[in-house]
Amino acid sequence: MVDSAGKGFRREKGVEILLALAASVSVLVTIGIVVSLFSETAGFFKEVSVKEFFTGTKWTPLFSPAHYGIAPLVAGTMLVTVIAMIVAAPLGLASAIYLSEYAPDGVRRLIKPVLEILAGIPTIVYGYFALTFVTPIIRAVFPQTNVFNALSAGIVMGIMLIPMISSLSEDAMTAVPNSLREAAYALGATKLEVSYKVVIPAAVSGIVASFILAFSRAIGETMIVTLAAGSTPKLTFNPLDSIQTMTAFIVQVMLGDAPFGSIEYKSVYAVASVLFVVTLSLNLIGTWIVRRYKEVY
Amino acid sequence: MIRQDEMFSPGLQNRQRRNRIFKWIFLSANLLGLVVLAALLVKVMRDSWGWLDLQFISSFPSRFPEKAGILPALYGTVYLMIITAVFAIPLGIGAAVFLEEYAKKSKFLSIIQVNIYNLAGIPSIVYGILGLTVFVRWMMLGRSLLAGGLTMGLLILPVIIVTAQEAIRAVPQSWRHASYALGASKWQTIRYVVLPSALPGILTGIILALSRAIGETAPLIPIGALTFIRVIPGSLFDSFTVLPIQIYNWTSRPQDDFRAIAAAGIVVLLVVLLGMNSIAILLRNKYQGRIKEV
Amino acid sequence: MTLESIISVRNLHVSYRDRKVLKGINLDIYKNRITAIMGPSGCGKSTLLRCMNRMIDLSEGARVGGKVLYRGENIYSPKIDPAQIRFRIGMVFQKPNPFPKSIFENVAFGPRINGYKGDLSALVEQSLQRAGLWDEVKDRLHENAYMLSGGQQQRLCIARALALEPEVLLLDEPCSALDPISTMHVEELIRQLKERLTIVIVTHNIQQAARVADYTAFLLQGELVEFGETSRMFTVPKDKRTEDFITGRFG
Ligand SMILES: Nc1ncnc2c1ncn2[C@@H]1O[C@H](COP(=O)(O)OP(=O)(O)OP(=O)(O)O)[C@@H](O)[C@H]1O
Ligand SMILES: [Mg+2]
């Protein structure tokens, strides 16, 4: 009796330890990302000064003379993501308002799956769509447009982000207690007034969080920009121009044959580190805001 | 006393008209999604018309578009998903069980939880670099199926953990108490009560995570998934390609015919995803039904 | 003094999905009087009240039959915009529900959306005065309303409704979330407000009805059992069920 109880206890303990190990993998992944990124990034900064990297305005690691100023990649990334947000923020918010305040149940049940499908379409497919469908339309309107351009990638990325903003903002809006809506209706407010004078202000932190998380997602998006936005690092604000984003640069080098240990190879890690730090910070801010508004109600 | 009618001008007709106009604006934001989805589907259908046939499914890539096919990519995708699943599912469920059933509420636990949420938000290309560094180089797995599968496994791990946690959390506490009352141990309770009733939810999460993995391209680029594969990978250490990589390769070529087979590849990819998602939706409906019964 | 009926409920039926909750109610609300609607929990008091300013439209699955006449006009006629009714007939809810905005903005909300033409600050002050809250908040008008106590929040909600100078004020158990002192304040306030407007107050508290109401309606399982002057009803109830309820012999 005592023996079998002891065995049972040991097995219970063993299982718990195994499960704890599984849970700790997530921490290992984070450590792994940090260590692997910074291992080569450190090597990169032995050869390129931190000052040049952050203040230089030319990015030409694959040609000589090589320049390693990240500004053009950051500018390219910003150009595409800002376009994406101009598309996604108003449309995503409008979609969320409709779903949370206006939609009858039946219509809602129709729209939600469409948004879920849009959210589930692989980015490579969006990339194909940008390059072969949206770009020709843009070029028909503005003939001076480059085959690869920030606008097409930005628009399609924006469309890709609509479901994300819509569903996160909708969550924030449905968390607004109904008693507030009733208070406004009882004063003779229209549905529109209830939406933008009561619901949106009350849900504003969640809405902002959805924008931040979408923005972070846009910065890290890779395939759309690789296919449609080009591979010419350029400090430009012209959306019709070919540019290169941080992610597209990483792909470009990874597809080439830069040998391990070369400076081009290391430059990928430096860029990826920037990408990681920026998106992680945005995500931390975004999830922090979401947690805070969840506590309020 | 002042009559209210003199002091207020509600102008309700105008306000209601504005309300109706905005209602249509808000609705059209959603209809736009539908329109884009339709345009996208029509576009790939039309581009791939005539290219998607048995020959395409059963051939190897080729310099000549009319001879090219996606057979190795299909095999690669299936093999990669198997490795990903074998790696990520037990880890993910294990982690979720630990976090929900064992871990005490503590600062450390909340750090792990925040960490998991944030892992889900890290760009997939960064996972690719993690895989390249840790699996391909440090562990010397080479540019192999195994390295790709492990990388993809890490990528979807947070999704599996979070959805499994939600499913486990939805199991009523009273069921656990009933099991303990019958003398079951903690692990027995989890094994025979909690996991079986959380299973549909967990499965839904797994399928959604795997369908994300199937469509991912970026993390496999640093791993070095190749596109000109002339043999079907036979071992964990063989080089490989997958559908999205193959599609990417064809799309990035300027010739129209390659675009056409890229579109054909997209159709195949979307069909696979559609199948997986239908299963997930079926499961979810069943699952929701069950929770209501409780 | 003749009694003028400002709201007349005529053969009102309400059901939620298939469940009938009001079965043919007929009731008159008299101008500048306080009418209490009392009855046990779930008998349909709130439903009846919400029918009087069409807030019932917002309850999912509710179907309304019959008429509610406001100044002789059926508010359920298709040409009536419910917002227009709610602008004239104010409502205060069971739980205080101030907007997460400043005290000032809470009171100013109604006047702003309804195009108030006068001096907004003066109106806000006047409304807070009438709600008996002015002295307590005059130095902190721009603080968030959530800083106030529950009782103060409820009086703020009353001030918010008063800012539109409604002819009728509907109160749905306005004191049920409040402590006795705050309840006393609100009851006192209601008695004062009677001068300017008509009040309908839902309560399941018999003493409260006795304390504040001129008229009382007793509702039971969706039916109006008895309606009349409060003093008469509490001394010589006509219906056995009313008597049981008043004397606390009720389930
Ligand atoms: N939105 C709704 N959907 C379905 N049923 C409802 C809804 N609102 C109320 N009911 C039901 O209608 C009946 C009457 O509800 P009502 O809120 O009018 O009662 P009440 O007299 O105000 O009760 P209480 O004193 O508890 O507030 C109740 O049985 C309630 O369950
Ligand atoms: Mg009620």
Side-chain angles (χ1 to χ4, degrees):
Chain A
M1 268 317 268
V2 178
D3 245 34
S4 76
K7 220 167 107 195
F9 178 75
R10 272 206 302 281
R11 199 190 54 202
E12 288 285 316
K13 212 60 209 161
V15 167
E16 181 171 349
I17 290 169
L18 270 180
L19 294 174
L21 284 178
S24 61
V25 168
S26 68
V27 181
L28 285 182
V29 175
T30 308
I31 296 173
I33 290 175
V34 172
V35 170
S36 55
L37 285 180
F38 290 92
S39 64
E40 301 285 339
T41 303
F44 175 80
F45 283 119
K46 286 205 182 92
E47 293 173 53
V48 177
S49 75
V50 175
K51 182 162 176 285
E52 172 175 6
F53 185 67
F54 284 109
T55 60
T57 56
K58 276 201 190 121
W59 182 263
T60 57
L62 307 179
F63 317 113
S64 59
H67 292 283
Y68 298 96
I70 197 173
L73 294 184
V74 172
T77 304
M78 283 304 124
L79 185 57
V80 177
T81 49
V82 165
I83 294 170
M85 289 308 287
I86 290 174
V87 173
L91 287 171
L93 184 59
S95 156
I97 295 173
Y98 185 78
L99 290 173
S100 127
E101 305 301 311
Y102 285 86
D105 255 10
V107 182
R108 225 187 100 84
R109 270 200 291 274
L110 231 77
I111 292 174
K112 283 297 265 187
V114 171
L115 291 179
E116 276 170 29
I117 294 174
L118 274 179
I121 287 182
T123 54
I124 180 77
V125 180
Y126 279 115
Y128 178 89
F129 186 65
L131 185 64
T132 65
F133 186 80
V134 177
T135 297
I137 294 176
I138 296 173
R139 275 159 64 88
V141 181
F142 307 104
Q144 76 274 28
T145 309
N146 199 298
V147 178
F148 303 106
N149 62 82
L151 185 58
S152 172
I155 290 174
V156 172
M157 198 191 278
I159 291 167
M160 180 193 84
L161 294 174
I162 290 174
M164 180 180 181
I165 292 183
S166 168
S167 99
L168 290 174
S169 298
E170 192 200 342
D171 286 350
M173 289 189 216
T174 39
V176 174
N178 248 331
S179 62
L180 293 185
R181 292 185 182 85
E182 296 219 314
Y185 280 121
L187 294 165
T190 64
K191 193 159 265 197
L192 180 64
E193 287 155 355
V194 172
S195 304
Y196 81 87
K197 292 194 173 192
V198 176
V199 178
I200 293 181
V204 74
S205 56
I207 294 169
V208 169
S210 81
F211 290 173
I212 293 175
L213 293 174
F215 187 58
S216 161
R217 171 92 184 276
I219 291 175
E221 215 308 296
T222 308
M223 296 323 291
I224 300 175
V225 286
T226 301
L227 277 173
S231 49
T232 34
K234 207 182 289 172
L235 260 181
T236 175
F237 292 106
N238 178 2
L240 305 180
D241 230 353
S242 167
I243 49 104
Q244 187 169 44
T245 65
M246 296 191 276
T247 51
F249 168 74
I250 297 174
V251 169
Q252 187 191 13
V253 175
M254 287 299 169
L255 285 176
D257 43 13
F260 292 149
S262 66
I263 178 79
E264 296 95 307
Y265 180 79
K266 287 176 187 161
S267 72
V268 165
Y269 283 76
V271 172
S273 298
V274 172
L275 193 62
F276 173 72
V277 169
V278 170
T279 53
L280 182 70
S281 317
L282 288 172
N283 288 339
L284 282 172
I285 296 170
T287 46
W288 178 73
I289 295 177
V290 170
R291 278 164 166 254
R292 250 193 21 166
Y293 88 73
K294 289 231 162 102
E295 278 162 19
V296 172
Y297 300 119
Chain B
M1 194 190 131
I2 310 162
R3 294 280 313 137
Q4 51 178 317
D5 309 79
E6 290 158 26
M7 289 311 290
F8 292 91
S9 53
L12 256 176
Q13 278 185 353
N14 281 331
R15 285 158 61 202
Q16 292 293 12
R17 186 178 323 123
R18 206 174 317 145
N19 177 43
R20 278 192 300 274
I21 293 170
F22 271 89
K23 175 182 171 174
W24 280 103
I25 294 176
F26 297 149
L27 174 62
S28 40
N30 286 299
L31 295 182
L32 182 85
L34 194 66
V35 169
V36 170
L37 187 61
L40 193 148
L41 292 179
V42 169
K43 170 76 180 153
V44 287
M45 293 295 212
R46 276 185 48 186
D47 287 0
S48 64
W49 201 251
W51 292 89
L52 184 60
D53 50 20
L54 218 61
Q55 179 271 331
F56 178 72
I57 303 284
S58 60
S59 301
F60 287 85
S62 157
R63 270 180 294 134
F64 308 104
E66 55 282 356
K67 287 194 191 150
I70 52 160
L71 188 67
L74 262 179
Y75 270 98
T77 289
V78 172
Y79 288 161
L80 190 78
M81 283 310 113
I82 292 173
I83 298 169
T84 304
V86 167
F87 174 54
I89 292 172
L91 264 185
I93 298 178
V97 169
F98 181 79
L99 293 174
E100 287 302 311
E101 303 286 325
Y102 286 93
K104 315 249 178 319
K105 293 269 165 284
S106 67
K107 191 84 201 154
F108 180 67
L109 178 69
S110 71
I111 290 175
I112 293 197
Q113 198 68 63
V114 169
N115 179 51
I116 291 171
Y117 288 133
N118 279 298
L119 281 179
I122 290 172
S124 53
I125 186 84
V126 173
Y127 278 94
I129 291 179
L130 169 74
L132 168 68
T133 317
V134 173
F135 299 130
V136 175
R137 293 185 47 216
W138 293 351
M139 292 170 69
M140 294 190 287
L141 300 176
R143 300 182 178 284
S144 62
L145 255 179
L146 183 58
L150 293 177
T151 305
M152 207 56 108
L154 294 186
L155 178 79
I156 63 168
L157 193 58
V159 185
I160 296 186
I161 296 177
V162 171
T163 49
Q165 275 185 285
E166 278 162 10
I168 291 170
R169 218 173 293 152
V171 177
Q173 202 62 37
S174 56
W175 296 11
R176 294 181 181 83
H177 294 321
S179 167
Y180 289 137
L182 294 172
S185 71
K186 184 156 198 168
W187 173 239
Q188 284 168 332
T189 302
I190 293 168
R191 172 89 171 66
Y192 297 107
V193 176
V194 177
L195 285 181
S197 48
L199 195 63
I202 295 175
L203 280 178
T204 312
I206 289 171
I207 294 173
L208 290 179
L210 284 178
S211 40
R212 160 137 190 243
I214 284 188
E216 278 285 354
T217 322
L220 295 177
I221 289 177
I223 300 295
L226 300 174
T227 38
F228 269 96
I229 296 278
R230 299 198 174 280
V231 287
I232 288 161
S235 93
L236 286 177
F237 299 98
D238 282 356
S239 54
F240 69 105
T241 188
V242 291
L243 285 172
I245 293 272
Q246 191 67 64
I247 294 165
Y248 167 64
N249 179 278
W250 284 331
T251 306
S252 60
R253 298 181 198 204
Q255 300 92 328
D256 279 348
D257 284 354
F258 276 112
R259 296 270 165 87
I261 55 175
I266 288 175
V267 173
V268 174
L269 180 63
L270 290 181
V271 167
V272 172
L273 285 175
L274 190 71
M276 294 187 63
N277 278 295
S278 319
I279 298 173
I281 288 169
L282 284 178
L283 273 173
R284 185 168 58 184
N285 289 348
K286 210 171 142 188
Y287 179 54
Q288 280 173 341
R290 270 171 76 132
I291 286 295
K292 269 197 206 107
E293 281 164 29
V294 173
Chain C
M1 203 163 117
T2 54
L3 283 172
E4 187 190 335
S5 157
I6 188 162
I7 293 178
S8 315
V9 178
R10 292 289 172 262
N11 193 24
L12 184 73
H13 289 263
V14 177
S15 52
Y16 291 109
R17 307 246 147 66
D18 296 327
R19 245 189 84 215
K20 284 179 141 314
V21 289
L22 288 184
K23 304 157 191 164
I25 306 286
N26 287 289
L27 179 69
D28 280 289
I29 304 297
Y30 298 119
K31 196 158 191 256
N32 288 83
R33 292 290 181 280
I34 300 176
T35 305
I37 301 174
M38 66 174 191
S41 185
C43 68
K45 304 180 297 289
S46 300
T47 305
L48 175 57
L49 197 70
R50 289 167 68 88
C51 284
M52 293 182 187
N53 66 343
R54 291 197 59 177
M55 283 301 279
I56 192 76
D57 294 25
L58 302 176
S59 306
E60 223 167 284
R63 283 217 335 273
V64 180
K67 285 182 184 172
V68 175
L69 306 174
Y70 169 58
R71 298 170 143 258
E73 195 172 9
N74 182 14
I75 65 171
Y76 287 90
S77 104
K79 63 175 196 292
I80 298 277
D81 180 346
Q84 174 191 347
I85 299 300
R86 296 175 195 143
F87 162 60
R88 305 294 296 274
I89 303 179
M91 187 170 222
V92 174
F93 299 82
Q94 188 161 351
K95 260 176 63 191
N97 56 355
F99 299 123
K101 300 172 190 275
S102 71
I103 294 168
F104 182 92
E105 285 302 322
N106 264 279
V107 183
F109 188 95
R112 274 197 217 278
I113 59 172
N114 288 295
Y116 182 63
K117 288 178 282 190
D119 176 358
L120 193 59
S121 327
L123 179 65
V124 170
E125 175 173 348
Q126 181 193 21
S127 310
L128 286 166
Q129 294 268 19
R130 286 181 185 163
L133 193 60
W134 174 250
D135 291 331
E136 288 156 70
V137 301
K138 60 173 185 266
D139 302 321
R140 44 199 283 220
L141 286 178
H142 297 284
E143 256 176 50
N144 194 298
Y146 284 9
M147 294 301 185
L148 300 174
S149 73
Q152 288 173 322
Q153 287 188 12
Q154 195 60 304
R155 276 179 285 152
L156 177 64
C157 292
I158 294 176
R160 182 173 66 184
L162 291 179
L164 288 177
E165 311 229 1
E167 287 190 279
V168 183
L169 188 59
L170 310 174
L171 301 137
D172 191 351
E173 301 194 34
C175 303
S176 67
L178 306 184
D179 59 81
I181 304 281
S182 307
T183 300
M184 222 177 64
H185 274 132
V186 172
E187 284 180 11
E188 178 54 38
L189 171 61
I190 291 168
R191 271 190 293 266
Q192 286 167 15
L193 288 173
K194 178 176 133 179
E195 311 281 307
R196 334 185 53 90
L197 40 84
T198 308
I199 288 173
V200 185
I201 175 169
V202 161
T203 175
H204 59 231
N205 180 334
I206 300 153
Q207 282 78 33
Q208 187 168 56
R211 280 196 301 266
V212 300
D214 302 314
Y215 287 82
T216 299
F218 175 49
L219 210 59
L220 192 61
Q221 292 179 349
E223 282 174 67
L224 185 66
V225 174
E226 191 166 345
F227 174 68
E229 278 183 80
T230 309
S231 48
R232 198 270 306 151
M233 198 175 191
F234 276 74
T235 45
V236 273
K238 287 181 189 154
D239 195 293
K240 177 83 174 62
R241 292 168 293 174
T242 315
E243 190 181 338
D244 286 348
F245 186 72
I246 293 170
T247 51
R249 246 177 290 158
F250 208 84

